[in-house]
Structure formats: C-alpha cells, structure tokens
Amino acid sequence: MNGQADVRFVLVRPRDPRNVGAACRAMKTMGFTSLAVVLGEPIDPERAGVLAHHARDVLEAALFCTDLDQAIGDAALVAGTTRRRGRDRKYFSLFPEQLAERAAAAGTGTVAVLFGNEDTGLTDAELARCHLAVTIPSSPAFPSLNLSHAVQVVAWELSRALERSPRTPFAPIGGREVDDL
C-alpha cells in the first residue's frame, strides 16, 4: 500500500488452529496478508489450513512469535481488541471504524491490531502495550465474538478506510435517461 499504513493482524495465544485458519481467510477476503501469531501453545498447521482454504498463503507467510515484542516491536500504532474496560485496562475504546480512520490518517508505517485468545481475550498486560483499545459493539446477552469474526469486522472497516481507489459516488439519473440507456 503506497503511502498507506501496512496493517498486521496479531493473534495472541490462539487456542484453536481452526480459528487461525479462519482468521487468515477473513483477512485475505479484505485484501490483508500480514499475520503474526504469538504462540501460547503450538498451532497445528494442517488443522489451521483446513479453514484457511484459499488463504493458506497467508498462514504459510505468517510470522510465528514467542513473545509480543516480536509481533509489535516495529509498529507505529498498536490497537488491542477488547470488550472490557476498567482501571487496569483502557478507559475508553474506539469502534472499528474509528480505528480505521486513524489507520488511514497514520500514513506509512505498521499498524498492528491485536486479538486475544478465544477464552480470555487479551490480558491487562497485553492491552497495556497497546496505544488504544477497539471494541466491536455486540449484544450484552452474548458479547463475545468468535476470533475470526472479530478479525473480519476489523478487516472490513480497515479495507474500507484504506481503499486505494475511491468508489464512484452514486449519482441518480431520471427515468428517461434510464430508458435511453
């Protein structure tokens, strides 16, 4: 992306390799290929590859890290996804579209977006390493998204904001013009 931020999706301690594969697919559908995985437990690449489907190249090119520093050390902006706020966490969170606006305005450099593991999310210490927090609004009755679904929502917003060629705006035309066409 010339003149635009390079977005890296960072999966922190994912537990299920199928979620890693599904996250690869979610990223690639929105045009992103930079993935880092901070390992807690080893990930079985064959199980991850099943759900990566046509995004296996994203999985194969992923940076597998032993600690968070390896995944975010070079990032100009680090955002952590979370549904929780509090004293030991961020006091406010951006929505995905607000993160996307900031990423688009950041210019060049790496923007790292962290996603915690499926059971516990990001720890307080991991979120403290982030410049900002991002929350995906969801129902209070069931506020936790699947890892790949959260990746998809954030990737979609980022792709919209970072799109290189703006779409032609809608320009309504009259009925006669439609008939002439």
Side-chain angles (χ1 to χ4, degrees), residues 7-142:
V7 179
R8 178 181 305 137
F9 289 79
V10 180
L11 308 182
V12 181
R13 298 172 289 100
R15 295 186 49 148
D16 189 333
R18 294 170 300 178
N19 282 334
V20 175
C24 291
R25 189 171 180 172
M27 290 169 51
K28 190 167 182 178
T29 63
M30 296 295 114
F32 298 104
T33 58
S34 180
L35 173 66
V37 180
V38 180
L39 294 172
E41 301 172 19
I43 296 295
D44 178 356
E46 289 307 310
R47 289 186 67 208
V50 170
L51 286 181
H53 199 47
H54 292 293
R56 194 178 284 264
D57 58 322
V58 175
L59 179 63
E60 290 169 356
L63 173 65
F64 287 89
C65 309
T66 56
D67 61 48
L68 191 55
D69 284 333
Q70 289 177 297
I72 65 171
D74 64 339
L77 177 64
V78 181
T81 57
T82 183
R83 66 179 177 90
R84 300 184 310 264
R85 289 189 300 233
R87 188 185 60 157
D88 294 328
R89 301 183 73 76
K90 303 293 186 203
Y91 283 99
F92 74 95
S93 299
L94 302 177
F95 292 132
E97 62 269 23
Q98 293 170 308
L99 166 65
E101 290 167 5
R102 289 195 184 192
T108 59
T110 299
V111 174
V113 185
L114 279 59
F115 297 84
N117 91 7
E118 300 89 331
D119 292 335
T120 60
L122 295 171
T123 66
D124 292 347
E126 291 161 347
L127 194 58
R129 301 286 311 277
C130 300
H131 300 116
L132 49 92
V134 178
T135 297
I136 300 170
S138 56
S139 168
F142 194 64

Side-chain angles (χ1 to χ4, degrees), residues 30 32 97 100 155-164 167:
M30 296 295 114
F32 298 104
E97 62 269 23
W156 181 73
E157 289 291 353
L158 285 164
S159 72
R160 288 179 59 219
L162 297 172
E163 192 173 61
R164 286 186 227 180
R167 296 180 185 204

